[in-house]
Amino acid sequence: MTNLPPLDFTKVEALRKHMILTTANMAELFQVSRMTYYGWVKGKPIRSKNDEHVRSVLKQLLQLISDGWPQPEVIPLAQKDRFQRLLEILQEQE
């Protein structure tokens, strides 16, 4: 990836909270460990091999938000069920 600004994980965290996701959920979506995700949140640089994947996932999540996620019927679900529903939606988009 050339000439892209670094990801702002303050904004990623705001996105995570808006989507009612845990840090473990985000780490799973990004296919990294929770410790790696925490490192990014605290300002550690993201490796170029992860950067492209993370940006792709973020684009999908932003699209879901613009489509109305989380829907009112999803909000009261248990965290595990809500995340499973999100994964199903993401899989349908592929």
Side-chain angles (χ1 to χ4, degrees):
M1 313 238 58
T2 56
N3 298 330
L4 289 175
L7 290 167
D8 181 348
F9 273 84
T10 328
K11 293 178 181 175
V12 175
E13 274 292 279
L15 172 80
R16 177 186 71 78
K17 291 173 183 175
H18 175 80
M19 295 189 77
I20 319 171
L21 298 173
T22 65
T23 53
N25 294 153
M26 291 300 278
E28 186 175 333
L29 289 170
F30 293 151
Q31 299 175 348
V32 296
S33 70
R34 283 184 310 166
M35 291 305 293
T36 296
Y37 180 79
Y38 280 124
W40 295 342
V41 170
K42 292 182 179 189
K44 288 190 177 183
I46 183 169
R47 291 184 180 153
S48 58
K49 73 174 192 165
N50 290 328
D51 189 81
E52 187 174 344
H53 177 70
V54 169
R55 288 176 191 271
S56 173
V57 171
L58 288 173
K59 284 180 186 177
Q60 290 177 303
L61 296 178
L62 289 169
Q63 180 61 51
L64 279 176
I65 286 177
S66 71
D67 292 343
W69 180 273
Q71 296 89 353
E73 66 273 10
V74 171
I75 293 171
L77 295 176
Q79 176 61 37
K80 178 181 168 187
D81 297 331
R82 191 170 41 246
F83 185 59
Q84 184 59 43
R85 180 67 190 123
L86 175 67
L87 291 176
E88 291 167 2
I89 292 170
L90 290 172
Q91 192 171 23
E92 289 169 6
Q93 289 182 344
E94 291 179 356

